[in-house]
Amino acid sequence: MEEQECYPHPFVHRVKLSTSQRIRGVILGSFLFPLRVTVAAMLFLVAWPLARLRLAGLSEEERARPVTGWRHRLFHPIILVLSRGVFFSLGFLWVKVKGRMADLKEAPVLVVAPHSGYLDMMVLCQTQLATVVSRSENSSLPVVGALLEFNQAVLVSRKDPESRKKAVTQLNERLTSNGYWPQMLVFPEGTTTNGQGLLKFKQGAFVAGVPVQPVLLRYPNKLDTVRWTYKGTTWVEALWHTTSQLYTNMTIEFLPVYIPSEEEKNDPNLYADNVQKLMARELGLPATDYVMEGGVPVNKLGGLSLPLESPARNTLSLLYKNGLEASAVEDALDRMIDRCQSAAPGSKVGAEELSSILGLTDRETAVTVCKLYSKDETVDVGQFYLSVAALSGFLSFKSLLHKAFNLFDREGRGSLSAEELSGLMGALLGVSQYNTSPLYKEASHQDELTEANLLRVLTTHPTYQRVVNEYLQPVEAGSHLPFTPLAGGKAVNNNRDVHDSKKSE
């Protein structure tokens, strides 16, 4: 087995090859890669029209019901065989299965982890093509869209909150349909990782409060080639390295059905945490509070989303590497706060203007900085100023919070709304915040959130004091990682312990 590299968090993976492994990969890959990809593509092309035919001629109302009768009996086994053929052609010659897969009545949903990449879809062949949850954007892809339609998958857009609510409702309806809908399969981590720790499980599969069957995925190979993460090996590289091996081993383990307690049925978060910890224990991995939110890897603490890779920290590093002295950075921040106070809330600047404000001679550095905060070449001036100022050490935290409070209290009421608090914390931390309600509840009094109360909670409450000390302190004072590296199976976990009354079958 390949010795695992120590990564700072689960969102990074790189295939490490020795010289002999590279030579072997080039030799085998030169003919295995084109051969295997060609065969897989041909099988996909055969499956494409057949997948469309399954629902052809059905009305929207009929498509909203599970496909049964001759359409199911004819097309389901064909697509199943073709799907297995695709993975066989890619090198998954055999798959080891441990345990017994529960039937629909025992467990309406299978929860699968860890999620390593698109090749995890092999598990569908062993679960009779169970219905999945997928990004709505995937429905527009050739072949993949047809297969999702065939699967009658639940589609969700990560960018649209209403889509997420609709997907949870749809998922809940299917899981509580008493066998009307087929068994579902969910990857509760919601994104792919390097397999060195389990992400915090999303609640979707647990909201219905029905029994679930945990399913573990393992790839016991000399080279860990299948993973495709936020940073590191690309999906093309993962495909190349995997198909360049003579074969790829995969083990699917079905654990006993997990029957939730009454407390877990009433608390999906507790239910999800307990199943996560159970699966992590069986895998010998840490159960973490890391999640992917808005395309950004974060740690969850007190409802806040704390970036694992701070945009502000990286920005300061870039500025200093480009020769800016501390005094020049301080002057740039003074110009930035002047711009914030005169501009409307949420105002953005492009790379050119940012370069001018910061006094940079290299436009590419400004472009890089913008991309740390957004997907385009713009940056919110308020967010940039507050997040960088927090780590620069030029202001005390009390003074910084005063400036931030005034920026978001535009009407001078002396208090912030829940939405304004979300904007303020997002600006300070450098990433959008999706759940500041616990902080708002803790700091507000009679539905009023004053600056004094917010300062008190952030500097004295154990949870939020930790946020300030680890994420909002000068780089020199807090240069340590604000999270525990995944080495030796250890990681900080704020989840509760597995419920003592957990029952399994």
Side-chain angles (χ1 to χ4, degrees):
M1 291 293 293
E2 178 187 22
E3 184 178 345
Q4 284 194 328
E5 180 181 352
C6 176
Y7 293 108
H9 54 71
F11 301 96
V12 181
H13 176 72
R14 297 177 183 87
V15 177
K16 296 294 184 180
L17 300 172
S18 64
T19 302
S20 61
Q21 287 171 332
R22 287 185 182 278
I23 295 173
R24 181 174 181 270
V26 170
I27 294 172
L28 291 177
S30 62
F31 68 90
L32 282 180
F33 178 80
L35 175 64
R36 285 175 163 170
V37 170
T38 299
V39 173
M42 291 174 63
L43 291 171
F44 269 133
L45 289 175
V46 173
W48 191 354
L50 293 174
R52 292 292 189 196
L53 283 173
R54 190 188 192 209
L55 275 70
L58 296 181
S59 65
E60 286 299 319
E61 183 179 352
E62 291 172 320
R63 287 168 176 256
R65 299 195 295 263
V67 173
T68 57
W70 69 267
R71 291 175 183 269
H72 177 79
R73 292 192 298 271
L74 175 61
F75 293 108
H76 192 274
I78 296 175
I79 297 298
L80 178 59
V81 170
L82 289 171
S83 298
R84 183 63 186 96
V86 167
F87 285 97
F88 186 88
S89 68
L90 294 176
F92 292 80
L93 306 184
W94 52 82
V95 175
K96 184 177 181 180
V97 178
K98 299 171 66 176
R100 179 186 68 85
M101 178 181 165
D103 61 33
L104 176 59
K105 291 183 179 179
E106 292 176 287
V109 61
L110 308 170
V111 290
V112 184
H115 192 11
S116 303
Y118 50 87
L119 295 174
D120 289 345
M121 292 298 107
M122 173 65 206
V123 72
L124 287 174
C125 300
Q126 303 298 322
T127 57
Q128 295 299 306
L129 302 181
T131 305
V132 300
V133 178
S134 180
R135 295 171 54 198
S136 58
E137 293 84 356
N138 291 336
S139 62
S140 61
L141 297 176
V143 185
V144 174
L147 292 173
L148 288 174
E149 180 183 81
F150 168 90
N151 186 258
Q152 294 188 285
V154 174
L155 301 178
V156 56
S157 171
R158 295 178 181 177
K159 300 177 182 178
D160 182 5
E162 290 304 315
S163 173
R164 293 197 293 269
K165 291 178 183 178
K166 183 179 178 181
V168 170
T169 300
Q170 192 176 2
L171 187 61
N172 190 51
E173 289 175 351
R174 293 192 181 191
L175 296 182
T176 56
S177 65
N178 294 319
Y180 178 68
W181 280 95
Q183 203 165 36
M184 295 204 67
L185 184 147
V186 174
F187 291 94
E189 292 176 289
T191 192
T192 56
T193 72
N194 59 26
Q196 293 187 17
L198 289 188
L199 305 186
K200 184 176 177 64
F201 283 4
K202 296 185 181 297
Q203 299 179 24
F206 306 94
V207 170
V210 298
V212 303
Q213 182 173 34
V215 182
L216 309 180
L217 297 187
R218 297 184 179 92
Y219 294 93
N221 300 290
K222 289 184 179 180
L223 282 177
D224 192 359
T225 63
V226 301
R227 305 189 193 281
W228 171 37
T229 55
Y230 172 74
K231 281 192 174 180
T233 303
T234 66
W235 72 269
V236 174
E237 290 171 330
L239 183 60
W240 164 267
H241 291 307
T242 301
T243 56
S244 297
Q245 308 304 307
L246 291 176
Y247 56 86
T248 299
N249 292 313
M250 181 181 189
T251 299
I252 301 173
E253 182 177 1
F254 294 95
L255 297 182
V257 173
Y258 189 110
I259 302 176
S261 66
E262 286 302 316
E263 184 180 3
E264 289 171 324
K265 289 179 181 179
N266 295 324
D267 187 349
N269 187 57
L270 174 65
Y271 189 6
D273 283 352
N274 288 347
V275 174
Q276 180 214 27
K277 295 192 75 173
L278 168 69
M279 296 177 73
R281 187 170 63 241
E282 292 293 328
L283 289 162
L285 298 175
T288 76
D289 288 321
Y290 302 147
V291 299
M292 182 71 79
E293 274 189 348
V296 178
V298 299
N299 187 26
K300 299 295 289 185
L301 184 61
L304 297 178
S305 301
L306 310 174
L308 300 185
E309 298 178 352
S310 168
R313 193 178 298 269
N314 290 334
T315 294
L316 281 172
S317 177
L318 280 170
L319 296 181
Y320 291 140
K321 282 181 180 178
N322 272 266
L324 267 70
E325 301 290 339
S327 58
V329 173
E330 185 174 11
D331 290 341
L333 289 176
D334 287 340
R335 293 192 293 272
M336 186 67 78
I337 188 60
D338 291 339
R339 175 64 184 269
C340 291
Q341 291 169 340
S342 62
S347 293
K348 295 186 176 184
V349 295
E352 294 286 355
E353 191 169 357
L354 180 64
S355 180
S356 174
I357 294 173
L358 297 178
L360 294 171
T361 56
D362 180 13
R363 181 183 179 277
E364 287 305 311
T365 299
V367 171
T368 303
V369 168
C370 287
K371 289 182 177 179
L372 291 173
Y373 287 88
S374 66
K375 294 182 180 179
D376 55 21
E377 294 185 10
T378 64
V379 63
D380 183 307
V381 289
Q383 184 181 56
F384 180 92
Y385 169 77
L386 292 173
S387 61
V388 173
L391 301 184
S392 67
F394 301 134
L395 293 172
S396 67
F397 180 72
K398 181 178 180 180
S399 298
L400 178 67
L401 185 65
H402 178 69
K403 287 181 179 291
F405 198 94
N406 288 335
L407 282 177
F408 284 88
D409 180 24
R410 289 282 178 170
E411 298 179 4
R413 302 187 311 273
S415 67
L416 299 181
S417 66
E419 184 179 354
E420 288 167 338
L421 174 64
S422 179
L424 183 150
M425 293 307 300
L428 284 173
L429 292 166
V431 296
S432 299
Q433 299 297 310
Y434 299 92
N435 182 25
T436 54
S437 54
L439 174 58
Y440 186 84
K441 182 178 180 181
E442 189 70 35
S444 62
H445 177 66
Q446 295 181 344
D447 288 332
E448 283 199 351
L449 176 62
T450 63
E451 180 183 339
N453 279 344
L454 181 57
L455 177 63
R456 174 182 57 80
V457 171
L458 289 176
T459 54
T460 61
H461 188 283
T463 297
Y464 300 110
Q465 184 182 48
R466 179 181 162 194
V467 171
V468 172
N469 290 340
E470 295 185 2
Y471 290 85
L472 297 174
Q473 290 299 320
V475 173
E476 295 78 13
S479 58
H480 61 282
L481 293 173
F483 46 83
T484 303
L486 298 175
K490 303 294 183 182
V492 172
N493 179 14
N494 302 308
N495 294 344
R496 287 164 280 188
D497 292 332
V498 175
H499 197 270
D500 293 336
S501 63
K502 173 188 74 65
K503 294 179 283 185
S504 60
E505 193 170 285

